[in-house]
Amino acid sequence: MTTAAAAAPASARRLLIGVAALGLTLLSVLLYVDSNGVALLPAAILAAAVAGGEAIRVDLSYRRGGIAVFTLGHASLAAGLLVLPGGTVVLAATTAIAIWQLAERIPRLKLTFNVLQYLAGTAAAALVVEFISPRPGPLDGRTLAAAAAALSLCCAVNTVAVSGMISAFGGRSWAATMRQMAQSTMLLAGGSVAVGLLAVLLATDHLWALPTLIVPLGLLHAASRREVQAQTDGERAVAYVDVEQRLAEATDPEHVHARLVEGVRSMLGCSAAVWANNEWATPVPSGSTPCTVNPHVSMPISATGPALGPNIQGPCVAVGIGNGVLIVWSGELPLREAAHEWLERLGSSGRVHGARSAADAALRRERATLRAIVHGTADGIFVMDPHGGVVLCNPAMAELAQVDDTAVAGARAEDVFGEGPWSEEGVRDVIRPDDRVWRIAVSAVRDRAHGDLRVAVVHDVSAERRVARMKDDMLSIVSHELRTPLTPIKGSAQLLRRRWDRMNAGQREDMLRTIEQRADHLTRLVEDLLLVGQMSTATDTPHRLQPIKVDMVELLRETTLQLDAGHPMHTVLLTAPDELTLHTDPLRVRQIIDNLVNNACKFSPSDSIIQVSLIPDAEWAIVRVTDQGRGIPPEDVDRVFERFERVEDPLHMTTSGAGLGLYIVRSLTERLGGDVAMASVLGTGTTVTVRLPLNPAVTAPEERISAVA
């Protein structure tokens, strides 16, 4: 198989093999049934007539500049079928066509296909004449009918074969192509028989008048060329309008490139590709090289394929399309000189629509980016028209206002989001009916299409306000707590300095004990503040703990004895099993129990009992601390575990403390792998339950809380 045939589509190769097989089979049958043999002189005359007749053509258009050619060669074939044996006609006509194709330098694959399909058609025609009215013989109506039928069959075989090849290379339906060629085929068959008959009659009786057939054929040729050109231009104009509509609908440069290639195929029947952004944007033959044509060249440039980039041996035409180069070469139909004008128009359209689609794509990207920013931000954003109607509302704003963001369009801002400084530029804080605080920033935007717009950015600063209040409360609490122990320390020290000699030993001991107790109080407060600071600066990285095997019963016994001694106004009792061992950090457990018991004593009346219980439960050790204090309102149970949170008003406190104890308890418990819960009844007391795992899976993080003495 030749290189060209190997590069053809598989369907084209199969069709070529099928046509060759059909032609050779029909020729074999014809030579078998034709007993006359081949007459060399008549064959030579007929071959010369067919070859010479190919020079005089009448073009019959069938689609987009594709033409069916009526030549005196067809008429010569018809004349041969009327007077000569079939074998002589087939061999003479096929030889003449092969010579003519070689003279026109037709590409090898196309030449082979043309000769084979002509062989198949003429062999079929000769067989029809052989069966109906064998030649040589008298010229009568039966012979004329046989020739007409034979030439019609010949044209039909040629039409089927050519349509198949067009379908293989152009991707068009085989049946649709045959329907478009059918009318031209019938005209070709009828005209060939008529002219052939006239030629035979003139040659028989008036040989001198035979050249006069050339005159009407010449006139018909000139008229047909104008008709064909007008019809082709009309078809291409309609196709160009369709291509323009498709280009106008293209949404990005890639779509423009694809539709330009489709437009070349639909208008000119040629193959095409686009070179853009230093690469082939559409398919090209393998082995193609980069295109070096300036994309801004508006006039078509002709060259051979490899010179322009595509790996094509035939002629190519390139035209700039602004953001790339459109390159065209022969495909379903040959590339003709008349295509340059249409390619220039396509290039102009490509430049316009390429720039427009690139701008559209950039605008869509900007809109998508803006939409992502507006819809993805945590702040509420909405846009108002000059009359205060909502034009746009992002999901965050809808969530802040508890409205449906798709249902607020067109409504007034006051009706959707409540009263606010929506018409005033600037930044303001607004207290909402639900006590939330919105920080609203309103700015004006000038839009040509919609006039003056106002953009409101809303941020919920309720949490910030709460944190600010917490800081103020914390400062108030810490200041109060620091002054509380310092006052008796200072007073006792002044008394000792002024009245040391007048005090007995017992009085001096009481003063020193007061100083020591208040100093311990001050030390615990500072230690709590330091511990909270350490935990607050490492919220994302758990502190390194020191888990060891701990006898929880002994640990709690020692701790409660110390706490009982440190709180003489209360009784601290421990209920525990005989033995319970777990892996934990004893320092952190001691801190948890200290804070719970100190808290219980602080909020319980004098002479009350603080019950500490240790309960084993499957994989957990449960520690409960129960007091008989005032209790905590249900709505404040969760809040008391936050930093600096106290149920009492900081300006009217009856107990000391910075509000850090329960925060420390929860933080340390969670770092030990456990959890904490509280149950409280007003006027009855409070129970805090801490669960610690017996065998926690403790990791080894990068930081640890330093031990607090």
Side-chain angles (χ1 to χ4, degrees):
M1 184 177 292
T2 65
T3 303
S11 57
R13 295 198 299 270
R14 290 194 296 270
L15 178 61
L16 184 63
I17 294 172
V19 170
L22 176 63
L24 294 175
T25 300
L26 292 176
L27 179 61
S28 299
V29 174
L30 177 63
L31 294 177
Y32 177 77
V33 300
D34 183 10
S35 59
N36 296 301
V38 178
L40 295 180
L41 181 59
I45 295 173
L46 179 59
V50 171
E54 287 293 314
I56 303 177
R57 305 183 173 192
V58 175
D59 296 336
L60 301 176
S61 175
Y62 62 89
R63 183 170 65 94
R64 296 177 309 181
I67 53 177
V69 181
F70 172 77
T71 70
L72 284 185
H74 293 89
S76 300
L77 174 62
L81 290 173
L82 289 170
V83 298
L84 296 176
T88 301
V89 173
V90 171
L91 293 179
T94 304
T95 302
I97 288 298
I99 294 172
W100 180 260
Q101 297 277 305
L102 287 170
E104 287 194 332
R105 297 183 179 180
I106 301 297
R108 186 178 304 174
L109 176 62
K110 187 174 181 180
L111 184 149
T112 303
F113 173 75
N114 286 344
V115 172
L116 290 175
Q117 59 94 7
Y118 197 81
L119 170 64
T122 54
L127 279 174
V128 170
V129 174
E130 187 67 27
F131 284 118
I132 298 177
S133 179
R135 302 284 91 194
L139 189 62
D140 53 18
R142 181 177 180 184
T143 304
L144 183 61
L151 203 59
S152 297
L153 179 59
C154 176
C155 292
V157 171
N158 295 158
T159 299
V160 171
V162 171
S163 299
M165 193 60 69
I166 291 174
S167 175
F169 279 94
R172 183 177 172 81
S173 168
W174 195 338
T177 304
M178 284 193 297
R179 284 195 298 270
Q180 288 186 326
M181 295 180 65
Q183 183 178 2
S184 299
T185 299
M186 297 303 297
L187 291 173
L188 182 63
S192 297
V193 171
V195 174
L197 176 61
L198 289 174
V200 170
L201 293 176
L202 288 175
T204 302
D205 297 326
H206 303 286
L207 183 60
W208 58 270
L210 187 60
T212 59
L213 284 177
I214 299 175
V215 176
L217 289 175
L219 294 174
L220 184 59
H221 172 69
S224 69
R225 286 186 64 86
R226 293 189 180 90
E227 177 65 23
V228 167
Q229 187 62 45
Q231 183 176 347
T232 300
D233 289 343
E235 291 177 353
R236 287 175 175 170
V238 172
Y240 179 73
V241 171
D242 181 64
V243 172
E244 273 289 329
Q245 291 176 346
R246 292 177 178 271
L247 288 173
E249 296 170 356
T251 56
D252 54 54
E254 289 75 15
H255 290 166
V256 171
H257 298 159
R259 289 173 183 180
L260 282 172
V261 171
E262 294 171 0
V264 169
R265 187 179 297 116
S266 64
M267 290 175 58
L268 306 174
C270 297
S271 299
V274 172
W275 171 266
N277 300 321
N278 295 320
E279 64 179 0
W280 289 106
T282 57
V284 290
S286 60
S288 297
T289 58
C291 178
T292 58
V293 177
N294 189 326
H296 299 290
V297 172
S298 59
M299 298 299 294
I301 298 175
S302 298
T304 58
L308 297 179
N311 187 20
I312 300 296
Q313 297 306 314
C316 285
V317 176
V319 63
I321 56 173
N323 61 351
V325 181
L326 176 65
I327 303 175
V328 180
W329 62 91
S330 295
E332 176 187 345
L333 298 176
L335 179 61
R336 294 188 172 90
E337 190 69 27
H340 288 206
E341 179 184 351
W342 294 102
L343 291 177
E344 186 176 348
R345 295 182 185 180
L346 283 176
S348 176
S349 297
R351 288 189 292 275
V352 171
H353 291 293
R356 188 265 310 157
S357 63
D360 288 349
L363 180 60
R364 286 196 305 276
R365 286 193 297 270
E366 290 180 5
R367 286 178 175 174
T369 301
L370 180 60
R371 187 180 299 109
I373 293 173
V374 171
H375 286 263
T377 183
D379 288 338
I381 299 175
F382 69 95
V383 181
M384 296 167 284
D385 61 24
H387 306 291
V390 178
V391 178
L392 179 147
C393 174
N394 75 339
M397 188 66 223
E399 184 176 355
L400 278 176
Q402 299 297 307
V403 297
D404 184 358
D405 58 338
T406 62
V408 300
R412 293 183 56 80
E414 291 81 0
D415 299 335
V416 178
F417 307 118
E419 295 296 328
W422 311 124
S423 60
E424 304 172 10
E425 293 188 47
V427 180
R428 295 171 179 80
D429 288 351
V430 175
I431 300 177
R432 301 282 295 168
D434 56 2
D435 293 331
R436 288 186 299 165
V437 181
W438 284 1
R439 180 160 295 159
I440 302 172
V442 180
S443 58
V445 176
R446 179 65 180 172
D447 183 82
R448 291 183 179 181
H450 302 92
D452 292 325
L453 301 177
R454 293 192 301 279
V455 179
V457 180
V458 181
H459 180 64
D460 191 338
V461 295
S462 303
E464 298 174 15
R465 288 288 190 94
R466 184 168 172 266
V467 170
R469 286 197 302 270
M470 286 177 58
K471 289 180 180 178
D472 293 340
D473 293 347
M474 182 268 292
L475 290 175
S476 175
I477 292 169
V478 171
S479 298
H480 174 77
E481 288 299 313
L482 289 174
R483 285 197 304 269
T484 299
L486 285 174
T487 300
I489 289 174
K490 182 178 180 180
S492 298
Q494 288 176 339
L495 285 173
L496 287 172
R497 182 173 61 82
R498 294 173 183 174
R499 300 184 181 183
W500 178 270
D501 295 336
R502 288 175 285 178
M503 288 183 178
N504 57 37
Q507 290 175 327
R508 288 195 294 268
E509 182 67 25
D510 289 339
M511 292 293 103
L512 291 173
R513 185 181 298 110
T514 298
I515 292 174
E516 181 181 12
Q517 289 174 347
R518 297 305 180 182
D520 289 341
H521 181 188
L522 187 60
T523 299
R524 284 195 300 272
L525 177 61
V526 172
E527 289 172 350
D528 285 349
L529 290 171
L530 290 174
L531 182 59
V532 168
Q534 288 178 337
M535 290 188 292
S536 299
T537 57
T539 54
D540 294 333
T541 304
H543 296 82
R544 178 175 296 176
L545 303 176
Q546 301 260 333
I548 60 174
K549 188 175 182 180
V550 177
D551 184 347
M552 279 292 291
V553 177
E554 184 63 26
L555 176 65
L556 290 182
R557 185 177 292 117
E558 294 175 1
T559 303
T560 53
L561 286 175
Q562 293 174 359
L563 291 170
D564 186 53
H567 296 278
M569 303 301 295
H570 297 83
T571 301
V572 181
L573 298 179
L574 173 65
T575 302
D578 295 335
E579 182 180 0
L580 180 60
T581 302
L582 69 155
H583 282 77
T584 190
D585 188 325
L587 174 62
R588 306 306 172 206
V589 174
R590 193 181 297 275
Q591 288 175 321
I592 291 171
I593 303 304
D594 284 350
N595 277 285
L596 289 178
V597 173
N598 285 331
N599 227 41
C601 293
K602 188 187 302 181
F603 294 100
S604 297
S606 301
D607 299 328
S608 63
I609 297 175
I610 307 301
Q611 182 69 49
V612 179
S613 304
L614 175 62
I615 305 168
D617 179 27
E619 298 180 356
W620 300 91
I622 299 176
V623 179
R624 285 199 180 102
V625 177
T626 303
D627 62 44
Q628 299 172 356
R630 68 187 68 170
I632 300 173
E635 63 272 13
D636 294 327
V637 168
D638 291 333
R639 185 166 63 87
V640 295
F641 285 99
E642 300 295 332
R643 286 177 295 176
F644 307 110
E645 285 288 350
R646 293 176 52 120
V647 177
E648 295 178 303
D649 187 333
L651 299 179
H652 303 87
M653 294 186 296
T654 59
T655 59
S656 63
L660 296 175
L662 290 177
Y663 171 76
I664 293 173
V665 167
R666 185 180 67 176
S667 298
L668 291 178
T669 301
E670 290 176 349
R671 283 164 171 77
L672 290 171
D675 55 48
V676 60
M678 175 182 287
S680 184
V681 179
L682 285 174
T684 300
T686 301
T687 298
V688 180
T689 302
V690 174
R691 293 199 313 164
L692 297 174
L694 297 179
N695 294 287
V698 180
T699 58
E702 297 299 324
E703 304 178 20
R704 78 182 281 265
I705 305 176
S706 59
V708 180

